[in-house]
Amino acid sequence: MIDDFISDKKAELILDGKSYILPIIEGTEGEKAIDIRSLRAKTGYVTIDSGYMNTGSCASTITFLDGEQSILNYRGYDIAELAENCSFVEVAYLLVHGSLPTQAQLSEFSRLLGGFALIHEDMIHFFDHFPPYAPPMSILSSMVNSLCNFYPEMNDNPGENIDMMAARLISKIRTIAAFSYKKSMGQPLVYPRHDYSYCANFLNMMFHSPVKPYMVSDAVVAALNKLLILHADHEQNCSTSTVRLVGSARVNLYASISAGINALWGPLHGGANQAVIEMLEEIFESGGDYMKYIERAKDPKDSFRLVGFGHRVYKSHDPRSRIIKNACDQVLASLGITSDPLLDIAREIEEVVLKDDYFVSRNLYPNVDFYSGIIYRAIGIPSNMFTVMFALGRLPGWIAHWKEMWDDPNWRIGRPRQIYTGPKRRPFVPISERKEFAV
Ligand code: ACO
């Protein structure tokens, strides 16, 4: 696939006085890369790029992101248009299949989602054996990993079975997430219903109780659809790269996605949405002095970071954050919440930060996590479930990347190189002759 995009341009590299010509790859949106696949074979050199700041790991047709121009497109469609006009299920179909579904395709995909919503009854016993304080992300990754024991037929020929694999996973992860919440609350499980849409079904499984039926609200369903769509893919981020790397060893889809869930858990990645709300709550409860937190974030001697700001790729506004910020007002109004002190603090922080030289000079803008927690909180989702919500949203993207990697004729097991900086070869010392080294 990459080879189809080799352009007429060439790069010249002079190394040890010798000239090497390297191909240039040019993507459909004009992104350019120097193709170094043959560099080591030709020169003996590797490239080094800690944190993959400047390394393209693959060619991909799924998501285009321009961090300077604040552009985010899934399969060529602007994220804002998708968030405005589509359901999450439509966008999941788009990511996995490459085109928006027709009504018939959408109905069939929705039918599969409904049909796969239950999890094997034996898996339900697993929930009983996690301690009550177990982090929901840990439960989610364990349960998703376990799915391959219950549905092993899915390991055969993923190319042909991908529709079923995707639907099964997208449907079951929602049931697992809601069940883990109910267990943590000590409440009876609420089973999925075939007559509910994807988001309504999830909300009902989360919040229905035998003593207090849950009334599904269209506004809440719309907000949840929007949030999940905005999280559905973000090209080669930490968790997606993890899914691709683990999957590159030809590991099954469930195990690869489980690894991605663990990567997402990190506070610098998906875990930031929970950290944002905890930071806003802390500011509110300690009297509202947000300036103290902004000053701490700027202090080079303090490791504190203003969570919800900054992004590896966006050096301008995160387009998702703007859409979510606008959605906040609509959701709160529809729920009859006339004011939210955390939203007020968030807005004030953003206003100060966008004018502050420290943040401006480092291109630190609010990211997708800054406002999403306020909506989740208003819907009733507890903060320790926020990253689980992110995982539900990101799942179609992970599946699409896993499938793309699996089908790629240029597929290779992912295996970065390194520069070794440890001791040179030294003679072995028997234990009786070893001396203690000061550490
Ligand atoms: N608050 C204060 N300073 C910050 C912040 C922040 N949130 N983010 C970056 N900086 C500063 C760094 O201290 C550094 O300053 P320096 O040049 O003086 O040393 C500079 O900006 C560059 O930061 P890096 O850490 O090099 O940027 P990187 O691209 O590696 O990190 C990251 C991006 C991890 C998102 C970072 O901005 C951060 O930690 N943000 C807070 C956590 C967060 O919100 N994560 C969610 C990201 S979105 C997502 O994953 C879904």
Side-chain angles (χ1 to χ4, degrees):
M1 192 164 107
I2 279 189
D3 294 333
D4 298 340
F5 292 88
I6 294 179
S7 82
D8 300 336
K9 296 180 194 153
K10 301 270 180 262
E12 183 180 9
L13 176 71
I14 312 281
L15 259 181
D16 304 326
K18 256 183 95 176
S19 158
Y20 298 93
I21 301 299
L22 296 168
I24 299 283
I25 310 276
E26 207 162 330
T28 44
E29 289 279 3
E31 290 178 305
K32 296 178 200 65
I34 300 171
D35 180 351
I36 54 147
R37 284 175 292 172
S38 61
L39 185 69
R40 187 169 176 278
K42 284 184 184 159
T43 67
Y45 282 75
V46 298
T47 55
I48 193 141
D49 182 21
S50 316
Y52 309 120
M53 302 283 287
N54 197 44
T55 293
S57 60
C58 59
S60 178
T61 59
I62 301 167
T63 288
F64 173 66
L65 153 49
D66 182 330
E68 276 76 32
Q69 307 294 323
S70 297
I71 297 172
L72 177 59
N73 300 338
Y74 297 162
R75 301 283 192 185
Y77 296 102
D78 183 346
I79 182 83
E81 283 189 82
L82 294 173
E84 196 53 42
N85 299 301
C86 289
S87 69
F88 173 62
V89 172
E90 273 178 276
V91 172
Y93 186 100
L94 168 71
L95 285 167
V96 174
H97 293 89
S99 54
L100 282 166
T102 61
Q103 188 55 57
Q105 288 167 327
L106 182 61
S107 303
E108 173 57 13
F109 194 51
S110 304
R111 194 189 61 77
L112 285 176
L113 289 176
F116 288 135
L118 284 172
I119 57 172
H120 196 292
E121 279 293 304
D122 288 349
M123 282 190 80
I124 292 172
H125 300 303
F126 293 2
F127 288 105
D128 296 332
H129 302 288
F130 288 103
Y133 45 82
M137 283 297 274
S138 151
I139 300 178
L140 189 71
S141 68
S142 310
M143 296 297 275
V144 168
N145 207 18
S146 304
L147 286 172
C148 60
N149 301 311
F150 289 88
Y151 307 101
E153 73 281 6
M154 288 295 106
N155 297 337
D156 304 334
N157 203 347
E160 280 174 21
N161 288 330
I162 191 67
D163 238 10
M164 246 204 306
M165 291 167 84
R168 201 186 279 266
L169 198 44
I170 292 170
S171 187
K172 288 190 192 312
I173 201 172
R174 162 191 61 173
T175 310
I176 293 171
F179 281 12
S180 66
Y181 170 68
K182 283 295 195 195
K183 277 283 171 192
S184 75
M185 299 295 286
Q187 291 180 10
L189 302 181
V190 177
Y191 280 76
R193 286 177 49 161
H194 284 202
D195 53 338
Y196 276 180
S197 71
Y198 185 87
C199 288
N201 218 337
F202 173 72
L203 290 164
N204 191 59
M205 281 193 274
M206 286 283 287
F207 300 123
H208 179 81
S209 112
V211 291
K212 196 168 177 231
Y214 179 71
M215 301 304 292
V216 178
S217 129
D218 289 346
V220 172
V221 168
L224 185 56
N225 263 300
K226 197 169 273 190
L227 280 170
L228 296 182
I229 290 170
L230 293 173
H231 285 86
D233 194 43
H234 214 234
E235 48 117 300
Q236 309 306 323
N237 55 82
C238 178
S239 53
T240 304
S241 300
T242 301
V243 170
R244 289 187 90 121
L245 185 63
V246 172
S248 78
R250 284 311 200 224
V251 169
N252 68 68
L253 178 67
Y254 305 117
S256 306
I257 299 288
S258 171
I261 293 171
N262 283 324
L264 187 73
W265 189 2
L268 295 188
H269 190 15
N273 57 10
Q274 179 177 344
V276 168
I277 214 80
E278 286 166 359
M279 179 184 78
L280 293 174
E281 277 167 356
E282 191 183 305
I283 296 173
F284 175 65
E285 280 156 21
S286 63
D289 183 6
Y290 56 83
M291 283 308 296
K292 197 171 80 192
Y293 289 78
I294 294 177
E295 290 311 318
R296 278 191 65 195
K298 289 159 57 175
D299 181 353
K301 293 198 272 320
D302 192 332
S303 62
F304 174 78
R305 285 193 168 187
L306 204 55
V307 216
F309 282 83
H311 197 278
R312 169 59 61 79
V313 190
Y314 290 116
K315 298 307 165 199
S316 178
H317 287 276
D318 179 337
R320 302 167 299 174
S321 130
R322 283 184 162 171
I323 300 171
I324 294 178
K325 185 182 175 187
N326 293 337
C328 266
D329 292 324
Q330 294 162 16
V331 178
L332 295 186
S334 70
L335 292 171
I337 303 171
T338 43
S339 80
D340 181 337
L342 299 197
L343 180 58
D344 295 341
I345 292 173
R347 285 206 184 105
E348 283 165 38
I349 291 177
E350 181 183 358
E351 203 179 317
V352 173
V353 160
L354 291 183
K355 291 187 197 129
D356 187 300
D357 190 51
Y358 172 93
F359 294 92
V360 173
S361 63
R362 288 169 179 75
N363 297 313
L364 300 171
Y365 293 88
N367 58 45
V368 66
D369 292 319
F370 193 55
Y371 287 103
S372 60
I374 291 170
I375 301 186
Y376 284 136
R377 190 166 147 272
I379 293 176
I381 291 168
S383 60
N384 70 350
M385 286 286 290
F386 286 3
T387 317
V388 170
M389 300 306 297
F390 195 152
L392 297 197
R394 184 54 54 89
L395 182 61
W398 286 333
I399 296 172
H401 282 274
W402 186 90
K403 178 181 185 296
E404 187 176 69
M405 180 273 310
W406 193 278
D407 293 342
D408 186 352
N410 293 320
W411 156 81
R412 287 278 180 82
I413 185 168
R415 205 300 186 187
R417 296 267 177 180
Q418 63 160 23
I419 296 295
Y420 175 69
T421 56
K424 278 184 177 294
R425 173 85 191 255
R426 46 186 172 169
F428 177 75
V429 185
I431 195 160
S432 56
E433 294 167 27
R434 289 175 210 162
K435 294 193 178 68
E436 205 174 304
F437 288 97
V439 224

